[in-house]
Every structure is written in C-alpha cells, then in structure tokens.
Amino acid sequence: MSSVTFLGTGGGRMVVLNQLRKSGGFWLKLGEANILQDPGPGSLVMVHRLKLVPKDLDAIVLSHRHIDHSNDVNVMIESMTGGGFQPHGRLIVPSDCLNSDPVVLEYVRPFVEIIEINEGLKTTLNDIEIEFPIRTMHPVETYGVIYQWNSKRLGYIPDTEYFPKLSGAYKNIDYLIINVVRMKNDMSIRHLNITSAKKLINDIKPKLAILTHFGLQVLKASPEFQAKIITEETGITVMAAFDGMIQDLDDRESLENWV
Ligand SMILES: [Zn+2]
C-alpha cells in the first residue's frame, strides 16, 4: 500500500513559529520504500505521535535549507540510523545544505549515503525513480521532485514564486502536492499564492492535488474552502491537507480513508 502522511501543514514564519499548524513535512510510503520529505520543526515528534518508525526510512529528502523544511534533519538522520549505530539510507539534498553554514551537521554524514541534487538529477531507490525536474525560484537552492513507482507519479512543488516553466516540469503526474503560503501576491516573498497554485493545478492537471504549507493568510481564508473553489473552477479534485492526514495513493476511491 502507498500513502502520504502529513507531519505538518504549516508554512510561513507566523504559522510555524507559533505552531498554528505542525511543520514536520510529509512521509511517503511508496510500495516498500519510506521517504521523509522536508522534516521541519517537530518532525520527530509527529513521526512518533503517528506511530511511524524512523528506522523504516530509506531516504530523507530536503527541497531546500530553510528552517521550516530542514530543522529536524539531523535528529531524523540519527533516528533513522539508530543513533548512527546502524548506518543506512540516503540523504538527498541541495549542495547548499552541505557547504557554507550547513544545515546537515558533519558528524551525522557518515551515517547515510549523501546525494547532492542538481536540476535534472534522476536517481533510483529500490524500485522508485526519483527525479528533480526543476530548480524553483526561491532565495536559496530549491528543487521540485517527482517520485515514480508502480507506474504512478507524484510531484511536489515546494517553495517558489510562480514562473511559467514550472508547470511543464510536472507533466503526466497522478498526484500533486503543492505549497501555498499566501493568498495575495507579494514578489518580495517568493512564494506561491492561491491564484498561482490554481493556475499550476489547472495547467498540470493531476488526478488529485493536495494543498499544504499554509501561511497565516491561507489559514484565515480556510484552506478547505480554497480547495473547494479550485475544484469547482478547474474540475480537478483538490484537497487541503491537515496535520496527521493520511492519503492513500493506491486507490483514489478510498479518499475517506483518513485518520
Ligand atoms: Zn523556503
């Protein structure tokens, strides 16, 4: 069975620093493989609260080094590898997570195999193909990702401002997870707002889109209501994630099968 579990759905400083939503990223179970994407603050706590098993992880992936995406990376590497006594798994990160002012501490690096992301990188993890089709437009090195398994494809659009080439990088995907921090447009913030998210969803046309990483503006405007509006306007099923939500990725008939 394949699924995505949201360990947090908050984004933006006000929401994350005040924990108005949790901020632990999301856990993908794709066939037999387990992948943790963007372990922000509280990821370890949510992993245990939701009874996930860190030693089951095969990889930890960071889209970028911002603290709401990377804060728990070191403690999750320790947890994945039994405090470093059972080295295994991969850490897949942009190079600026490893170089100057690194967010990945040097002492945990021998516990995992480290792969640096470049735009266009394709790698495999067991039977899963992992592709980083595009570098997004954000103040630090940031990459979108597509996971392909059992002939299904899940794309993740992390923090970015809108740019037209973005949708072309996510052709033929079944599931789209998209970070929507803002309601209004503010070019200085370099994040997607709800209007640009709708445009991307409409252009990419996944079978299911899941909104997450909500800033305060989006929380005040009700993410569920916004998802409903986008569904009505595009004809594409759009959901708003909530903390602890588990979405089945095998069978779209079981959308009710949440915790
Ligand atoms: Zn960011």
Side-chain angles (χ1 to χ4, degrees):
M1 170 174 165
S2 299
S3 61
V4 54
T5 301
F6 287 85
L7 308 175
T9 54
R13 280 192 172 78
M14 288 296 290
V15 171
V16 172
L17 299 180
N18 294 299
Q19 287 292 286
L20 303 179
R21 289 274 182 120
K22 306 286 189 235
S23 49
F26 55 88
W27 179 300
L28 294 166
K29 179 163 172 47
L30 307 179
E32 297 301 309
N34 290 279
I35 300 165
L36 177 60
Q37 176 85 48
D38 285 358
S43 194
L44 178 69
V45 172
M46 282 298 278
V47 162
H48 287 286
R49 185 173 295 171
L50 297 173
K51 302 202 170 358
L52 296 163
V53 180
K55 286 183 185 173
D56 288 348
L57 281 170
D58 299 287
I60 298 172
V61 182
L62 302 187
S63 64
H64 66 297
R65 57 173 286 131
H66 281 160
I67 200 163
D68 51 337
H69 296 256
S70 70
N71 186 77
D72 277 15
V73 65
N74 296 295
V75 77
M76 285 310 308
I77 291 170
E78 279 235 17
S79 195
M80 174 170 83
T81 61
F85 289 104
Q86 293 140 13
H88 79 276
R90 303 220 187 122
L91 176 71
I92 307 176
V93 295
S95 61
D96 68 354
C97 296
L98 303 167
N99 300 327
S100 66
D101 191 18
V103 296
V104 179
L105 295 172
E106 290 190 356
Y107 88 92
V108 302
R109 297 184 190 187
F111 305 163
V112 288
E113 178 190 350
I114 297 176
I115 297 176
E116 291 186 24
I117 305 172
N118 300 300
E119 188 176 66
L121 173 73
K122 291 182 184 176
T123 185
T124 56
L125 184 75
N126 305 333
D127 295 335
I128 299 166
E129 287 179 29
I130 308 176
E131 178 185 354
F132 297 88
I134 196 155
R135 179 173 175 170
T136 69
M137 295 179 70
H138 200 50
V140 297
E141 205 180 342
T142 306
Y143 295 96
V145 58
I146 296 174
Y147 296 96
Q148 182 166 332
W149 79 105
N150 296 343
S151 69
K152 291 207 172 66
R153 283 159 61 81
L154 179 145
Y156 170 47
I157 300 181
D159 295 2
T160 182
E161 66 179 63
Y162 177 79
F163 57 106
K165 267 178 67 182
L166 196 49
S167 59
Y170 292 88
K171 290 278 177 249
N172 302 318
I173 61 170
D174 299 287
Y175 305 98
L176 176 66
I177 296 172
I178 182 165
N179 287 357
V180 191
V181 176
R182 308 272 296 177
M183 289 300 293
K184 294 184 223 141
N185 202 8
D186 180 345
M187 291 309 282
S188 68
I189 300 289
R190 305 197 78 181
H191 276 292
L192 291 175
N193 62 29
I194 202 82
T195 307
S196 47
K198 180 175 78 176
K199 178 163 177 43
L200 286 166
I201 290 166
N202 196 43
D203 289 347
I204 294 168
K205 298 200 185 329
K207 291 176 188 151
L208 171 68
I210 304 175
L211 312 178
T212 188
H213 209 60
F214 307 123
L216 197 56
Q217 289 179 355
V218 183
L219 286 187
K220 283 182 175 170
S222 172
E224 294 74 20
F225 182 61
Q226 300 305 321
K228 185 165 172 280
I229 291 173
I230 300 175
T231 297
E232 286 170 3
E233 293 184 356
T234 63
I236 294 162
T237 305
V238 182
M239 297 164 56
F242 54 87
D243 295 345
M245 183 176 105
I246 302 172
Q247 173 60 45
D248 186 288
L249 299 176
D250 283 325
D251 178 1
R252 291 215 38 252
E253 299 308 310
S254 58
L255 287 177
E256 278 73 25
N257 193 17
W258 305 345
V259 293

